[in-house]
Amino acid sequence: MAQGMAEADGKVGKLKKRDYESELKRLQVELVKLQEYIREKGLRVVVVFEGRDAAGKGGTIKRINDAMNPRVCRIAALPAPSDRERTQWYFQRYVAELPAAGEMVLFDRSWYNRAGVERVMGFCNEEEYQEFLRSTPLFEEMLLRSNIKLIKYWFSVSDDEQERRFQDRLSDPSKHWKLSPMDLESRRRWVDYSRAKDVMFARTDTDLSPWWVVEADNKRRARLNTISHLLSSIPYEYEPKPPLELPERQDDPDYVRPPRETQRFIPQVY
C-alpha cells in the first residue's frame, strides 16, 4: 500500500488526508503487535528523537505513543537540569529513564542536548563538549552490549519550512506554547546549529549506533516513514490471541444507587 501511495502522490506531493489516516491506522495496529512482542520477550528498546525545532519530532512521537500501552511505551522529555543534576555524571539523569524488561522509551530529545543546544548556547564548556563527543559512542556501545535496542532519528527540515512552521505557531494562539525563547534563538543561530549537527554526526554516527535521517518537510510522510522504519528495525512476531468474550455482568436486585443529589456533576455546557 505504501508503495502505491508513493507512486500516486509523487516524491514531493502532499499525502491526501484520507490515505494518510488509513495508512497510519494500519501502522498503529502493527505498533500494538510490536508492543506485545516487546512485553512478552522482555525486550528493552530506546528510541531517540532529535532534530531542528519545529521539525515534527513531537507529532511523530505522539502518533507512536497514542497506539501503545503506557505501561509498555513511555515518553522521556526531560526539562533543563537542576543545579544538583549539573554536578552529576552527564549521562546520569538519562540512565534513570532507560527501560526495564518489556518496555520501550521514546526520548523526546536526549543526551544529545550537549551536542546541540548546550554547545551552541554556551551551556557547557569546551572540555565538557569534547568529553561528550569522546564518551557518547562508548556509552551507546555499553547500552547495546547490555542488550538494549537503540534507534536514533534525526528530523531534517529545510529553513524555508521551519520558517513557515514558526510563523504558523506565532499566528495560532493554541500553538504559542511550542515557541520558547530558546526556539527563537535557534532560528537566529541556524548556521551554528548546522555546524554543531555536522560535528555530532561525524563523531556519533557509528556502525554500531547509526543515525537515521528523516526528511521532515512533509509531516505526514515523515510520520509514516518513521513508524514504518521503526517497525522494520525490530523483527517481531505476533500470534493472534483467542477472541475475548464478555462475562455476564453481576446482578443484584437489592443494590440501589445513591441518589443523584448526593454527587457533584460537571455542568452540561454542551
Side-chain angles (χ1 to χ4, degrees):
M1 181 176 180
Q3 181 180 357
M5 291 165 62
E7 292 173 353
D9 292 299
K11 292 184 179 179
V12 297
K14 184 177 181 180
L15 277 178
K16 295 179 180 178
K17 184 177 181 180
R18 179 185 60 188
D19 293 337
Y20 162 72
E21 290 180 345
S22 175
E23 184 67 358
L24 177 62
K25 184 176 181 180
R26 185 188 72 82
L27 291 173
Q28 287 180 329
V29 171
E30 293 303 311
L31 284 172
V32 173
K33 296 178 182 178
L34 172 62
Q35 161 193 286
E36 291 306 298
Y37 185 79
I38 290 172
R39 184 182 60 81
E40 292 174 1
K41 299 298 182 180
L43 301 185
R44 294 177 293 168
V45 181
V46 169
V47 188
V48 167
F49 293 83
E50 294 285 348
R52 296 281 191 179
D53 293 311
K57 301 179 297 295
T60 301
I61 292 170
K62 184 177 187 298
R63 270 64 181 187
I64 295 172
N65 193 60
D66 277 350
M68 305 182 78
N69 185 338
R71 293 185 178 89
V72 176
C73 179
R74 59 183 171 85
I75 300 172
L78 276 61
S82 65
D83 290 341
R84 180 176 181 273
E85 287 172 330
R86 289 189 182 94
T87 69
Q88 295 175 343
W89 176 49
Y90 176 71
F91 296 100
Q92 189 166 334
R93 70 191 193 118
Y94 298 102
V95 168
E97 299 292 332
L98 293 176
E103 295 179 353
M104 178 164 72
V105 178
L106 311 177
F107 276 90
D108 186 355
R109 297 205 181 277
S110 65
W111 46 91
Y112 282 99
N113 278 336
R114 176 141 293 179
V117 63
E118 290 193 17
R119 170 62 169 174
V120 174
M121 301 303 297
F123 296 154
C124 65
N125 60 39
E126 183 66 21
E127 182 181 354
E128 291 170 329
Y129 174 66
Q130 292 299 332
E131 179 58 29
F132 172 83
L133 294 176
R134 286 191 294 268
S135 298
T136 297
L138 300 175
F139 172 67
E140 293 178 356
E141 183 179 352
M142 289 172 61
L143 299 183
L144 295 166
R145 287 169 61 88
S146 298
N147 292 323
I148 292 177
K149 176 70 174 178
L150 174 62
I151 305 169
K152 302 186 302 190
Y153 292 116
W154 174 268
F155 280 65
S156 178
V157 63
S158 65
D159 52 354
D160 289 341
E161 179 60 19
Q162 187 189 49
E163 173 71 13
R164 188 194 68 77
R165 293 179 187 178
F166 276 173
Q167 292 296 337
D168 179 56
R169 292 178 178 185
L170 284 172
S171 62
D172 187 344
S174 69
K175 297 180 180 179
H176 284 179
W177 65 271
K178 293 185 176 183
L179 280 178
S180 68
M182 206 65 65
D183 296 329
L184 300 178
E185 186 65 17
S186 73
R187 176 180 180 273
R188 190 174 72 85
R189 302 195 185 198
W190 174 273
V191 176
D192 291 340
Y193 272 93
S194 296
R195 288 179 175 141
K197 175 257 183 182
D198 292 344
V199 173
M200 181 188 79
F201 264 54
R203 299 290 294 273
T204 65
D205 182 22
T206 66
D207 291 338
L208 280 176
S209 181
W211 279 104
W212 295 98
V213 178
V214 180
E215 293 183 322
D217 273 11
N218 187 304
K219 286 185 178 181
R220 291 175 181 174
R221 292 186 185 279
R223 291 166 186 169
L224 297 181
N225 288 331
T226 303
I227 296 173
S228 177
H229 184 269
L230 175 61
L231 290 167
S232 69
S233 300
I234 309 173
Y236 63 96
E237 299 174 355
Y238 179 74
E239 295 184 5
K241 305 295 188 294
L244 295 175
E245 294 185 4
L246 290 176
E248 292 187 7
R249 188 173 60 186
Q250 183 184 28
D251 187 25
D252 185 347
D254 295 329
Y255 171 73
V256 179
R257 287 187 174 183
R260 287 178 59 87
E261 56 269 21
T262 65
Q263 302 171 10
R264 296 178 179 85
F265 291 86
I266 65 171
Q268 295 293 318
V269 179
Y270 301 99

